[in-house]
Amino acid sequence: MKTHEIINPPNLFMHNLLIGDEVQKSRRRLGDLTGLFQDHQSFEVTSPDELVYEVYSYIPADEKSQGQLNFGVTRLYPGKIGREYFMTKGHFHHCEKSTEYYWGIEGEGLLVLMDQERHIRAEKMFPGSLHYIRAGIAHRVVNTGSTLLSFGACWPSDAGHNYDEIACNGFSARVLEISGIPQLISL
Ligand code: S6P
Ligand code: ZN
């Protein structure tokens, strides 16, 4: 009989947060999101220091290695610029074959998905919602609620992030509050 070692995994994922020295953190403030929102006048009169979202990522493998996975939690704060809700920048993946899972942890929002022909659709996010983001689809999350929206993500280590396409051409629709309701409006 052989006794095998039983190992403690890193306990990074505590209370739906990613915590620990191995976790990479990034913050996006309004000042980092110039040009993202439609209403430039409202953007100009809001503090550039206002925190819009934080990303916590566990990236165990080199970004060039195939078959590996990253894991993350994003915390997107409530707020609006004019009628447009706070949102992530959104991106395509550099590797067009890469897929991704998102899942809702806390709060409510919309996952906006756009294909390469700029066809758009959105899925509601809520605690327990599961979103399979297929290959070649740009993805952006919008906080349509009045509380923190937190969601998890799992994506291939070699996916890469193509922000340039969205920075140049944006998404083909925006989520705006119209008559008190979040609506996905084509431009
Ligand atoms: C990575 C994954 C998330 C986002 C994060 C912020 O593939 O989709 O971790 O990076 O939600 O969004 P963005 O669009 O600013 O990277
Ligand atoms: Zn992604």
Side-chain angles (χ1 to χ4, degrees), residues 91-93 99-100 102 133 137 139 155 159-161:
H91 57 268
F92 286 98
H93 290 147
T99 55
E100 183 164 2
Y102 275 5
I133 301 165
I137 302 290
H139 37 291
W155 68 101
H161 294 87

Side-chain angles (χ1 to χ4, degrees), residues 28-148:
R28 301 284 188 203
R29 299 182 185 278
L30 268 181
D32 302 316
L33 302 175
T34 303
L36 196 72
F37 295 93
Q38 185 179 46
D39 184 341
H40 297 286
Q41 276 185 339
S42 299
F43 183 83
E44 291 302 329
V45 297
T46 313
S47 168
D49 296 330
E50 187 161 346
L51 184 59
V52 181
Y53 60 99
E54 302 164 309
V55 185
Y56 297 79
S57 306
Y58 177 54
I59 300 179
D62 184 84
E63 64 181 19
K64 291 193 185 77
S65 56
Q66 295 182 338
Q68 309 275 350
L69 293 170
N70 296 337
F71 184 89
V73 172
T74 300
R75 291 162 62 83
L76 173 58
Y77 290 91
K80 275 188 299 203
I81 297 294
R83 294 184 302 170
E84 191 167 20
Y85 300 93
F86 278 9
M87 58 185 158
T88 60
K89 289 169 76 168
H91 57 268
F92 286 98
H93 290 147
H94 272 309
C95 172
E96 293 181 1
K97 288 185 181 164
S98 293
T99 55
E100 183 164 2
Y101 275 112
Y102 275 5
W103 59 96
I105 294 172
E106 186 180 337
E108 60 186 78
L110 292 175
L111 169 60
V112 181
L113 300 161
M114 181 179 75
D115 69 18
Q116 281 157 350
E117 282 76 48
R118 299 184 61 76
H119 300 130
I120 203 130
R121 63 191 181 84
E123 298 178 357
K124 286 187 181 177
M125 295 185 88
F126 48 85
S129 64
L130 181 65
H131 311 270
Y132 182 49
I133 301 165
R134 293 180 188 277
I137 302 290
H139 37 291
R140 161 180 285 167
V141 174
V142 182
N143 186 343
T144 56
S146 54
T147 59
L148 174 78

